[in-house]
Protein backbone atom coordinates (compact mmCIF):
# COMPACT_ATOMS: atom_id res chain seq x y z
CA UNK A 1 0.00 0.00 0.00
CA UNK A 2 1.23 3.48 -0.85
CA UNK A 3 1.44 5.50 2.37
CA UNK A 4 0.77 9.23 2.07
CA UNK A 5 2.22 11.57 4.69
CA UNK A 6 1.10 15.18 5.03
CA UNK A 7 2.84 17.96 6.91
CA UNK A 8 2.31 19.89 8.98
CA UNK A 9 -0.73 18.49 10.76
CA UNK A 10 -1.86 22.04 11.54
CA UNK A 11 -0.82 25.26 9.85
CA UNK A 12 -1.62 28.62 11.45
CA UNK A 13 -1.76 31.41 8.89
CA UNK A 14 -3.02 34.99 8.85
CA UNK A 15 -5.50 36.03 6.15
CA UNK A 16 -3.65 37.31 3.09
CA UNK A 17 -0.57 35.24 3.82
CA UNK A 18 0.79 32.36 1.77
CA UNK A 19 0.24 28.76 2.88
CA UNK A 20 2.38 25.85 1.78
CA UNK A 21 1.22 22.29 2.47
CA UNK A 22 3.33 19.20 1.83
CA UNK A 23 2.42 15.66 0.88
CA UNK A 24 4.84 12.75 0.51
CA UNK A 25 4.35 9.29 -0.93
CA UNK A 26 6.14 6.14 0.24
CA UNK A 27 6.82 5.26 -3.41
CA UNK A 28 6.53 7.08 -6.69
CA UNK A 29 2.98 7.91 -7.75
CA UNK A 30 4.19 9.81 -10.82
CA UNK A 31 1.82 12.79 -11.10
CA UNK A 32 -1.30 10.87 -10.05
CA UNK A 33 -2.01 13.05 -7.04
CA UNK A 34 -5.14 14.96 -6.06
CA UNK A 35 -5.86 17.55 -3.37
CA UNK A 36 -9.22 17.97 -1.65
CA UNK A 37 -10.55 20.71 0.63
CA UNK A 38 -12.92 19.77 3.44
CA UNK A 39 -14.90 22.14 5.63
CA UNK A 40 -16.86 21.01 8.71
CA UNK A 41 -20.12 19.31 7.78
CA UNK A 42 -19.41 19.59 4.05
CA UNK A 43 -18.39 17.17 1.35
CA UNK A 44 -14.71 17.13 0.44
CA UNK A 45 -14.16 19.24 -2.67
CA UNK A 46 -11.68 18.39 -5.41
CA UNK A 47 -9.15 21.20 -5.86
CA UNK A 48 -6.28 19.73 -7.86
CA UNK A 49 -5.73 16.59 -9.92
CA UNK A 50 -2.75 15.42 -11.93
CA UNK A 51 -0.62 17.09 -9.21
CA UNK A 52 -1.03 20.54 -10.75
CA UNK A 53 -4.31 20.90 -12.69
CA UNK A 54 -6.99 22.96 -10.98
CA UNK A 55 -10.48 21.48 -11.01
CA UNK A 56 -13.32 23.45 -12.54
CA UNK A 57 -14.14 26.60 -10.61
CA UNK A 58 -11.11 26.47 -8.31
CA UNK A 59 -9.56 29.92 -7.81
CA UNK A 60 -6.12 30.59 -9.27
CA UNK A 61 -4.68 31.24 -5.79
CA UNK A 62 -4.59 27.45 -5.38
CA UNK A 63 -1.66 25.76 -7.10
CA UNK A 64 -0.18 22.28 -6.96
CA UNK A 65 3.27 21.07 -7.83
CA UNK A 66 5.51 18.05 -7.58
CA UNK A 67 5.85 14.58 -9.02
CA UNK A 68 7.11 11.20 -7.93
CA UNK A 69 7.08 11.24 -4.13
CA UNK A 70 6.98 14.92 -3.12
CA UNK A 71 4.07 17.26 -3.66
CA UNK A 72 3.05 20.74 -2.56
CA UNK A 73 -0.23 22.64 -2.41
CA UNK A 74 0.21 26.39 -2.24
CA UNK A 75 -2.48 28.92 -1.42
CA UNK A 76 -0.99 32.22 -2.48
CA UNK A 77 -3.10 34.60 -0.38
CA UNK A 78 -5.40 33.00 2.15
CA UNK A 79 -9.01 34.11 2.13
CA UNK A 80 -11.44 33.53 4.99
CA UNK A 81 -13.16 30.73 3.08
CA UNK A 82 -9.88 28.82 2.69
CA UNK A 83 -9.59 27.85 6.34
CA UNK A 84 -10.31 24.13 6.18
CA UNK A 85 -8.69 20.70 6.17
CA UNK A 86 -6.76 19.69 3.05
CA UNK A 87 -6.24 16.07 2.03
CA UNK A 88 -3.89 14.67 -0.58
CA UNK A 89 -4.71 11.42 -2.35
CA UNK A 90 -2.72 9.24 -4.71
CA UNK A 91 -4.53 7.31 -7.41
CA UNK A 92 -1.56 5.72 -9.13
CA UNK A 93 -1.78 2.45 -7.19
CA UNK A 94 -5.28 1.99 -5.79
CA UNK A 95 -6.36 4.99 -3.75
CA UNK A 96 -4.81 6.19 -0.49
CA UNK A 97 -5.08 9.47 1.37
CA UNK A 98 -2.91 11.49 3.69
CA UNK A 99 -3.96 12.32 7.25
CA UNK A 100 -4.86 15.88 6.28
CA UNK A 101 -3.52 19.33 7.13
CA UNK A 102 -5.74 21.73 9.01
CA UNK A 103 -5.26 25.35 7.96
CA UNK A 104 -6.39 27.58 10.80
CA UNK A 105 -6.53 31.29 11.43
CA UNK A 106 -3.47 32.66 13.18
CA UNK B 1 -25.02 19.20 -11.45
CA UNK B 2 -23.63 16.06 -9.86
CA UNK B 3 -24.80 15.31 -6.33
CA UNK B 4 -24.43 12.26 -4.12
CA UNK B 5 -26.18 11.60 -0.84
CA UNK B 6 -25.43 8.82 1.60
CA UNK B 7 -28.03 7.23 3.86
CA UNK B 8 -28.05 4.43 6.38
CA UNK B 9 -28.17 3.66 10.10
CA UNK B 10 -26.28 5.92 12.45
CA UNK B 11 -25.85 3.16 15.05
CA UNK B 12 -24.91 -0.45 14.40
CA UNK B 13 -24.21 -3.15 16.98
CA UNK B 14 -20.98 -5.17 16.85
CA UNK B 15 -21.21 -8.23 14.55
CA UNK B 16 -24.18 -6.70 12.71
CA UNK B 17 -24.22 -5.84 9.01
CA UNK B 18 -24.10 -2.26 7.76
CA UNK B 19 -26.07 -1.42 4.66
CA UNK B 20 -25.42 2.08 3.33
CA UNK B 21 -27.02 3.57 0.25
CA UNK B 22 -25.67 6.25 -2.07
CA UNK B 23 -28.36 8.01 -4.11
CA UNK B 24 -27.03 10.21 -6.85
CA UNK B 25 -28.17 12.59 -9.55
CA UNK B 26 -26.64 14.46 -12.47
CA UNK B 27 -25.07 11.42 -14.12
CA UNK B 28 -25.77 7.83 -15.13
CA UNK B 29 -23.83 4.85 -13.87
CA UNK B 30 -24.39 3.22 -17.24
CA UNK B 31 -22.19 5.81 -18.98
CA UNK B 32 -18.80 4.50 -20.05
CA UNK B 33 -15.98 5.56 -17.73
CA UNK B 34 -18.15 6.38 -14.72
CA UNK B 35 -17.56 4.86 -11.31
CA UNK B 36 -19.04 5.30 -7.84
CA UNK B 37 -17.09 4.35 -4.76
CA UNK B 38 -17.20 4.35 -0.98
CA UNK B 39 -14.63 5.97 1.30
CA UNK B 40 -14.69 6.28 5.07
CA UNK B 41 -13.01 8.46 7.69
CA UNK B 42 -12.69 7.22 11.28
CA UNK B 43 -12.55 10.00 13.87
CA UNK B 44 -9.14 11.68 13.78
CA UNK B 45 -7.85 9.40 11.02
CA UNK B 46 -7.27 9.54 7.28
CA UNK B 47 -9.81 8.91 4.59
CA UNK B 48 -9.77 5.26 3.50
CA UNK B 49 -10.85 3.66 0.23
CA UNK B 50 -13.38 0.85 0.68
CA UNK B 51 -14.94 -0.18 -2.61
CA UNK B 52 -15.71 1.01 -6.12
CA UNK B 53 -18.08 -0.11 -8.87
CA UNK B 54 -17.76 0.88 -12.52
CA UNK B 55 -20.34 1.44 -15.24
CA UNK B 56 -19.63 -2.01 -16.65
CA UNK B 57 -20.15 -3.82 -13.34
CA UNK B 58 -16.46 -4.25 -12.56
CA UNK B 59 -15.74 -3.92 -8.85
CA UNK B 60 -12.71 -3.01 -6.77
CA UNK B 61 -12.37 -3.69 -3.04
CA UNK B 62 -9.84 -2.51 -0.50
CA UNK B 63 -7.20 -5.27 -0.33
CA UNK B 64 -7.11 -4.94 3.47
CA UNK B 65 -10.89 -5.03 3.89
CA UNK B 66 -12.00 -7.20 0.96
CA UNK B 67 -13.62 -9.82 3.17
CA UNK B 68 -17.08 -8.72 4.29
CA UNK B 69 -17.48 -5.91 1.75
CA UNK B 70 -19.98 -5.96 -1.08
CA UNK B 71 -20.81 -3.14 -3.48
CA UNK B 72 -23.75 -3.25 -5.86
CA UNK B 73 -25.50 -0.83 -8.19
CA UNK B 74 -29.06 -0.24 -9.30
CA UNK B 75 -28.76 1.91 -12.39
CA UNK B 76 -32.51 2.40 -12.74
CA UNK B 77 -32.73 3.84 -9.22
CA UNK B 78 -29.44 5.80 -9.43
CA UNK B 79 -28.18 4.04 -6.33
CA UNK B 80 -25.07 2.25 -5.14
CA UNK B 81 -25.24 0.11 -2.02
CA UNK B 82 -22.37 -0.85 0.28
CA UNK B 83 -22.72 -3.81 2.62
CA UNK B 84 -20.21 -4.50 5.40
CA UNK B 85 -20.64 -7.60 7.50
CA UNK B 86 -19.41 -8.30 11.02
CA UNK B 87 -19.11 -4.64 12.02
CA UNK B 88 -16.62 -3.78 14.75
CA UNK B 89 -16.21 -0.63 16.90
CA UNK B 90 -13.13 0.15 14.77
CA UNK B 91 -15.51 0.59 11.82
CA UNK B 92 -16.94 3.69 13.49
CA UNK B 93 -16.50 6.40 10.87
CA UNK B 94 -18.16 8.81 8.48
CA UNK B 95 -18.91 6.98 5.25
CA UNK B 96 -18.75 8.90 1.97
CA UNK B 97 -19.71 7.97 -1.56
CA UNK B 98 -17.81 9.46 -4.45
CA UNK B 99 -18.02 9.80 -8.24
CA UNK B 100 -15.38 9.44 -10.90
CA UNK B 101 -15.59 9.82 -14.66
CA UNK B 102 -13.40 9.40 -17.70
CA UNK B 103 -12.19 6.12 -16.23
CA UNK B 104 -12.59 3.79 -19.19
CA UNK B 105 -9.34 2.00 -18.29
CA UNK B 106 -10.54 1.59 -14.68
CA UNK B 107 -7.12 2.64 -13.42
CA UNK B 108 -5.47 6.00 -12.72
CA UNK B 109 -8.76 7.68 -11.90
CA UNK B 110 -9.61 10.22 -9.24
CA UNK B 111 -12.81 11.19 -7.44
CA UNK B 112 -14.26 14.48 -8.59
CA UNK B 113 -17.42 14.69 -6.46
CA UNK B 114 -18.11 13.38 -2.98
CA UNK B 115 -21.22 13.33 -0.82
CA UNK B 116 -21.47 14.94 2.61
CA UNK B 117 -21.12 11.60 4.32
CA UNK B 118 -23.16 9.59 6.80
CA UNK B 119 -21.83 8.98 10.33
CA UNK B 120 -21.92 5.41 11.60
CA UNK B 121 -21.17 4.40 15.17
CA UNK B 122 -20.57 0.77 16.05
CA UNK B 123 -21.45 0.17 19.67
CA UNK B 124 -23.51 -2.17 21.80
Amino acid sequence: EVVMTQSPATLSVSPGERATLSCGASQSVRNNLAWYQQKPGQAPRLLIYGASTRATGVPARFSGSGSGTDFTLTISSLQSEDFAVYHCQQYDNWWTFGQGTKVEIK
Amino acid sequence: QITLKESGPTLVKPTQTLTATCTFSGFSLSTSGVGVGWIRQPPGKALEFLALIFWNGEKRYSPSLRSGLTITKDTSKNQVVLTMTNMDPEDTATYYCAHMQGCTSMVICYYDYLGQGTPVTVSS
Side-chain angles (χ1 to χ4, degrees):
Chain A
E1 177 181 301
V2 180
V3 178
M4 305 301 292
T5 303
Q6 290 185 245
S7 62
T10 303
L11 186 61
S12 298
V13 186
S14 298
E17 287 188 341
R18 182 186 191 92
T20 302
L21 289 67
S22 296
C23 174
S26 60
Q27 65 188 65
S28 176
V29 297
R30 299 180 285 181
N31 69 335
N32 297 311
L33 192 285
W35 290 93
Y36 298 85
Q37 176 193 65
Q38 187 176 23
K39 298 179 183 178
Q42 295 187 19
R45 172 195 179 197
L46 175 68
L47 297 177
I48 301 283
Y49 62 92
S52 60
T53 302
R54 280 190 299 275
T56 303
V58 174
R61 63 180 180 273
F62 291 92
S63 63
S65 63
S67 66
T69 60
D70 295 305
F71 301 89
T72 301
L73 175 69
T74 302
I75 311 171
S76 60
S77 176
L78 269 161
Q79 306 297 302
S80 57
E81 61 267 29
D82 301 335
F83 292 96
V85 176
Y86 293 83
H87 305 274
C88 65
Q89 179 214 25
Q90 68 81 20
Y91 51 95
D92 190 74
N93 184 347
W94 291 86
W95 299 270
T96 52
F97 294 82
Q99 293 269 23
T101 291
K102 181 180 181 180
V103 178
E104 64 177 23
I105 300 174
K106 187 175 182 179
Chain B
Q1 180 190 3
I2 290 174
T3 64
L4 306 103
K5 186 173 178 61
E6 306 86 350
S7 59
T10 56
L11 181 63
V12 176
K13 289 182 167 50
T15 75
Q16 286 187 337
T17 296
L18 168 69
T19 300
T21 301
C22 174
T23 303
F24 55 83
S25 63
F27 66 95
S28 172
L29 195 40
S30 61
T31 299
S32 178
V34 172
V36 174
W38 285 92
I39 301 163
R40 70 179 179 182
Q41 186 173 32
K45 295 187 178 181
L47 293 157
E48 177 183 27
F49 165 76
L50 296 176
L52 173 62
I53 189 164
F54 290 101
W55 81 99
N56 58 3
E58 285 281 321
K59 303 174 184 180
R60 301 289 183 267
Y61 293 104
S62 166
S64 59
L65 291 169
R66 187 184 306 270
S67 174
L69 280 176
T70 304
I71 188 169
T72 59
K73 65 182 175 79
D74 186 331
T75 304
S76 64
K77 291 184 178 178
N78 282 353
Q79 290 183 333
V80 170
V81 175
L82 178 74
T83 300
M84 290 183 66
T85 61
N86 195 24
M87 292 288 282
D88 182 271
E90 288 196 349
D91 296 314
T92 293
T94 297
Y95 287 74
Y96 298 92
C97 65
H99 165 273
M100 60 174 55
Q101 60 187 328
C103 200
T104 51
S105 64
M106 295 180 285
V107 293
I108 317 295
C109 309
Y110 56 90
Y111 300 106
D112 53 2
Y113 295 93
L114 286 81
Q116 290 195 338
T118 185
V120 177
T121 300
V122 184
S123 174
S124 55

